[in-house]
Amino acid sequence: MLVGMLKATSTYNPVNNPKHALERRNTVLSQMLKNGYLKKEEYDENVQQPIDLDLSYTGNEGQGDSYLREAVERWLKKWCHDNDYDLYNDGLKIYTTIDPKMQQYAEEAVAEKMKMLQNRFNDLWGKKNPWRDLDGKEIVDFVKKAEEHLPIYQLLQKKYHNDTIPIKKYFEEKKRMKVFTWKGERDTTLSSDDSIKYYARLLNTGMMTIEPSTGKIKDWVGGINFKYFNYDHVNQSKRQAGSTFKPFAYLTALDNGFTPCDKFTDQFVSIKYTDEGRQQVWEPKNASFKFTGREMSLRWAMGASVNSITAQLTEKVGWDKIVEYAHKCGIESPLKSVPSVSLGSNDVSVYEMVRAYSTFLNKGKKIDPLLVTKITDQDGNTVAEFDLKSEQVISPETAWLMLYMFRGGMEEPGGTSQALWEYPGLWKKNNQIGGKTGTSSAYVDGWYMGITKDLVTGIWVGADDRSVHFNSSETGEGSHTALPIFGAFMQKVYADPKLGYTYGPFPKPWVKITKQYDCPSPNIDTDSLTNDSLALPIDTNKIKADTAGGG
């Protein structure tokens, strides 16, 4: 049967065309009889046998396995080229750094929380269309533009000589199809336009965990379902980082004379600058659209994610310097050097953010994350081994102080990580967790970067089309979208002693700390605090600033 399929794999496919496959198989058997490879009695016996396929085998693969295979292929692309190997045809065995149980727990946490988030999103918008501009107005030509981006659209234009009537008919015609749902794959009848609308409403995610001390990537979840969304949201997708980028401003400050206890006032900020020869003004607002006038330490301001103080710090240290430090820690994407860089106005990947945050836990050493440790050939001979490469990019003292700053998200008044208290499985044996939430303008992107004494995890949540998003801080902030995935995941990790990741406090200082850092915050009403939002640069002619959700 397999030999017979070689002539035309679709025509003689035994699943889709069993009749043709049977006829073709018997043709092969008759040729074997004719050429003396089968005896007559063997031929007579085999030609009567039906094609009996066992289609129950699916392999022991998690949902993320396909994302992993693609990620490994991309990771090894240059190595294969340089060493003249074919990844799929040379019988290579690839040893990855992925921990199967951690991968399972990551996928379970994603499935559990993303299903819940999708229900929340659907309830929020109901029958209204969620594709909106930054002012909340529906984008009326959203579906038309989506049609034009499809490869089939150019083929239809050519076929119908740009006649819009038959093209419109094609996209409105109902067709049988299978669609992804959180209750399983569903057979349905939809037009192409209906399909565009259906998939545009679906939220997606990217998640990666690394062990900074070894550089090993422990889990990799590229999206909610590889069959329907094979675009990898870990290192192919890049989105605005929102306030998860703020720590690079505080890092720059701590490495250039500031201390965690230095104080700034939460107040109105106006920064003039030149961008591409044009005079601009940046006037960021806090998520509450209020300034408290309160004096706050840098640790408190970062923990509560206060925009106005981050903006003041950016002006003090210089946005060019912040870009320099972000690149130094492992951000490779181009970063536009403007004041709003510190509030995450640039696009970055989950992979880059996890790598950069790992620098703080790794005593100031930037690492090249490892996804593959070893490759052997079909005879078991080792043909390649990959070791951790690291480079000291910030001082161990500054790295430790940044870990202290990250704990502020849990410990400072109004800290944006405090939703993690809702996960009791995280808080045993004096365990400490640091992290940073992030939300881009109009709640388009939700982020959480979580740090324990052993691991760094990065998570992004949002719709693939940026015009589809939540519309309030109560639903769309990173603390409500990405953070719950981290909480659910780490509970599972801690509950499995075989993984070896135990509870406990962050490491004690690796070196003598010369800067003041033990600066307790006052007891205040946390309801009056502001959280993070992204304020984009504006033209001086408009004198207006866009703001978005907080942590």
Side-chain angles (χ1 to χ4, degrees), residues 190-303:
L190 294 174
S191 68
S192 296
D193 281 349
D194 291 336
S195 178
I196 289 171
K197 295 175 184 177
Y198 176 79
Y199 281 109
R201 298 175 69 101
L202 294 182
L203 301 175
N204 222 311
T205 188
M207 175 180 179
M208 185 180 112
T209 300
I210 200 169
E211 185 180 74
S213 62
T214 63
K216 292 180 178 178
I217 298 171
K218 309 304 288 188
D219 62 67
W220 183 300
V221 183
I224 57 174
N225 185 285
F226 182 79
K227 179 178 179 180
Y228 287 93
F229 312 94
N230 54 30
Y231 188 62
D232 196 315
H233 298 84
V234 170
N235 69 343
Q236 287 185 308
S237 174
K238 294 185 179 184
R239 301 293 285 254
Q240 283 192 341
S243 292
T244 57
F245 210 85
K246 283 179 182 174
F248 298 114
Y250 291 86
L251 162 65
T252 307
L254 293 183
D255 212 44
N256 289 274
F258 288 85
T259 78
C261 298
D262 288 338
K263 294 184 178 180
F264 285 75
T265 301
D266 176 21
Q267 60 188 3
F268 172 77
V269 182
S270 181
I271 299 175
K272 295 180 180 179
Y273 68 103
T274 302
D275 180 30
E276 297 179 355
R278 298 180 62 195
Q279 289 296 310
Q280 305 279 348
V281 175
W282 186 50
E283 296 177 348
K285 294 181 174 64
N286 291 321
S288 63
F289 294 92
K290 295 185 296 184
F291 302 103
T292 64
R294 187 176 287 115
E295 196 174 57
M296 305 173 74
S297 70
L298 289 186
R299 185 184 194 245
W300 186 6
M302 183 174 129

Side-chain angles (χ1 to χ4, degrees), residues 441-457:
S441 287
Y443 316 102
V444 172
D445 306 288
W447 289 77
Y448 191 70
M449 301 296 301
I451 306 174
T452 71
K453 66 182 179 64
D454 302 303
L455 302 168
V456 173
T457 297

Side-chain angles (χ1 to χ4, degrees), residues 105 108-110 112-113 420 423 426 483-493:
Y105 297 148
E108 288 174 353
V110 162
E112 172 191 340
K113 296 302 180 180
L420 288 177
Y423 298 85
L426 303 180
L483 179 147
I485 297 175
F486 174 79
F489 167 67
M490 283 307 303
Q491 280 198 141
K492 294 173 185 287
V493 170

